[in-house]
Structure formats: C-alpha cells, structure tokens
Amino acid sequence: SGPCLIGRTYNIAEKPKILYVAEPWKVHNVADLIALKIVDTYPMGGTLPSSYSNFSTCSADDASVKIGDKVTVLGYPGIGGSTITLTEGVVSGKLNDFWKTSAKIDHGNSGGIALTEKGCMLGVPTATIVGSSESLGLIMSVKAVMQMLSAL
C-alpha cells in the first residue's frame, strides 16, 4: 500500500484528469475494502480545498432504496480498457448487507462505486452471482461499509 492518485472525468471516453494524491486511511483485508484520505494535490504541493464539491457526499440508507430504483456502477473492469466504465441497472432486492442489482459488475469495477439516480452512494460493487442464463450483481451497502470501517 502506498499513495493513490484520484482523478475525475466528465467524458467516460477519456482518462480521468488526476487532481489529488491519497493514502490508505483504513483497510479491511477480509472484505478487500480500503478507505482513502486525500493528503495532497496533484501535482504535489498545492493547497487542498476546504471541501470537495466534486465528490458526492450523500449516501442512500436502507429506508430510501426501493426495488426497481435505478443504479449506476462506475469502475475500471478489465474488459473495459483503460477508461472508466459505466453500467446501469435496477435494485433487484436485498441479501443481508448487500443490494442485488441487474447492473453488470465484473472484476475491476468491483470496488468502484454504485450510485442512486440522485447521485448518492448506494454502496460498493462487490461480486456477481451467476445463474444458468443471467447474473445478479451484489453491492455492499453504505451501512455495511461504514460498520466495517468504524470497527477498525
């Protein structure tokens, strides 16, 4: 573990523009989950803003999410190349601490972010359950992520 670069893009066909340097803040090895802390600008040595308006700070709680709600998953799956990949689907149900979704989750966008239609964080895309002809993605809920991180 070491520094991580954080970027942003407004065009999914382009690589993100690197804005910040972050370091691991909390690591949950069993869940393969890491929270980052922004520690510098990129290039290094700039002044960090007092807030990060570029990043969503709202999160969806269990009571606000309904079956059929739209879900957007963002990440870098191996099959998507070097640019960010967006997949969409709906909330299909709940399985313990995970939301089930029809949005495609593959190696690489797991660990990314899942957002509601309002742009609030639904959770962390984690896994896929493959059936005989279809699959369901699993998104670890924000509540479960926060519980894991706060236990560290």
Side-chain angles (χ1 to χ4, degrees), residues 13 17 40 51 71 79 83 91 107 120 130 134-135 139 143:
K17 177 183 178 199
D40 206 343
S51 66
V71 176
I79 60 173
T83 57
V91 173
H107 178 74
C120 294
V130 180
E134 291 289 328
S135 64
I139 299 168
K143 180 179 174 183

Side-chain angles (χ1 to χ4, degrees), residues 11-151:
N11 180 344
I12 64 171
E14 296 176 1
K15 290 185 177 183
K17 177 183 178 199
I18 305 301
L19 300 172
Y20 303 109
V21 178
E23 292 179 348
W25 175 54
K26 294 189 175 189
V27 178
H28 195 292
N29 290 316
V30 175
D32 194 23
L33 185 65
I34 188 168
L36 301 172
K37 178 180 181 181
I38 295 174
V39 295
D40 206 343
T41 59
Y42 185 86
M44 297 172 82
T47 303
L48 289 173
S50 58
S51 66
Y52 298 94
S53 60
N54 297 324
F55 302 102
S56 173
T57 56
C58 63
S59 60
D61 62 13
D62 289 0
S64 68
V65 179
K66 308 285 185 253
I67 292 176
D69 285 356
K70 291 184 180 180
V71 176
T72 300
V73 173
L74 297 166
Y76 292 88
I79 60 173
S82 62
T83 57
I84 197 162
T85 299
L86 178 149
T87 61
E88 294 179 310
V90 297
V91 173
S92 303
K94 189 91 187 276
L95 179 64
N96 301 317
D97 288 332
F98 296 88
W99 294 107
K100 296 186 284 185
T101 181
S102 60
K104 299 298 179 195
I105 297 175
D106 204 322
H107 178 74
N109 70 350
S110 64
I113 188 168
L115 302 168
T116 66
E117 190 171 21
K118 294 179 182 176
C120 294
M121 184 176 180
L122 179 64
V124 176
T126 306
T128 301
I129 300 172
V130 180
S132 60
S133 62
E134 291 289 328
S135 64
L136 282 176
L138 295 179
I139 299 168
M140 185 184 300
S141 71
V142 171
K143 180 179 174 183
V145 169
M146 297 309 290
Q147 287 173 342
M148 284 185 183
L149 293 176
S150 66

